[in-house]
Amino acid sequence: MLRIKKNDIVKVLAGKDKGKTGKVITVIADKNRVIVQGINFNKKHAKKRRQDQQGGIIQKEGPLDMSNVAVMCKKCNLATKIGVDILQDGSKIRFCKKCKETIE
Ligand SMILES: [Zn+2]
């Protein structure tokens, strides 16, 4: 089970956006990467392919390594370590290792 899911609010732990928080908009599970809204913007120069297209600079979020972000616990209001528990019925839940609160 992945410790980070889409729509999680995460805090960036490393890199140029260290300390910022944002919402996970994409999880790239097989590469252990996430894309976080507004974080790790990369500027790209767009080429004009056709006459009616606009060239210029496009800003797009780049992927971050999952190890460089931490999920925010709503109860602690802190970036926290996530634990995974298996319930008796076999379903898995995530919880905050600090306060033990379940994280949806
Ligand atoms: Zn907590």
Side-chain angles (χ1 to χ4, degrees), residues 63-104:
L64 299 165
D65 213 88
M66 273 190 197
S67 61
N68 289 339
V69 300
V71 175
M72 295 288 289
C73 171
K74 285 182 190 126
K75 198 174 172 193
C76 303
N77 204 24
L78 288 169
T80 187
K81 285 209 164 93
I82 300 292
V84 175
D85 243 353
I86 300 169
L87 302 178
Q88 281 186 329
D89 67 0
S91 62
K92 290 175 184 170
I93 57 155
R94 302 185 302 165
F95 66 94
C96 167
K97 280 192 175 173
K98 282 198 185 89
C99 68
K100 309 295 180 196
E101 183 82 359
T102 302
I103 294 174
E104 297 295 331

Side-chain angles (χ1 to χ4, degrees), residues 10-77:
V10 295
K11 187 170 189 175
V12 182
L13 304 177
K16 63 178 179 177
D17 289 316
K18 186 177 174 180
K20 290 186 188 170
T21 55
K23 187 165 89 173
V24 175
I25 48 177
T26 307
V27 176
I28 310 161
D30 57 349
K31 288 185 178 157
N32 274 319
R33 284 170 172 243
V34 290
I35 294 174
V36 183
Q37 198 168 49
I39 304 291
N40 197 25
F41 266 120
N42 291 321
K43 280 183 185 171
K44 271 188 183 169
H45 288 272
K47 281 181 192 161
K48 263 190 179 177
R49 289 195 189 88
R50 293 199 321 255
Q51 277 301 320
D52 57 343
Q53 281 184 325
Q54 270 195 325
I57 295 168
I58 293 175
Q59 287 203 329
K60 201 175 188 314
E61 289 99 338
L64 299 165
D65 213 88
M66 273 190 197
S67 61
N68 289 339
V69 300
V71 175
M72 295 288 289
C73 171
K74 285 182 190 126
K75 198 174 172 193
C76 303
N77 204 24

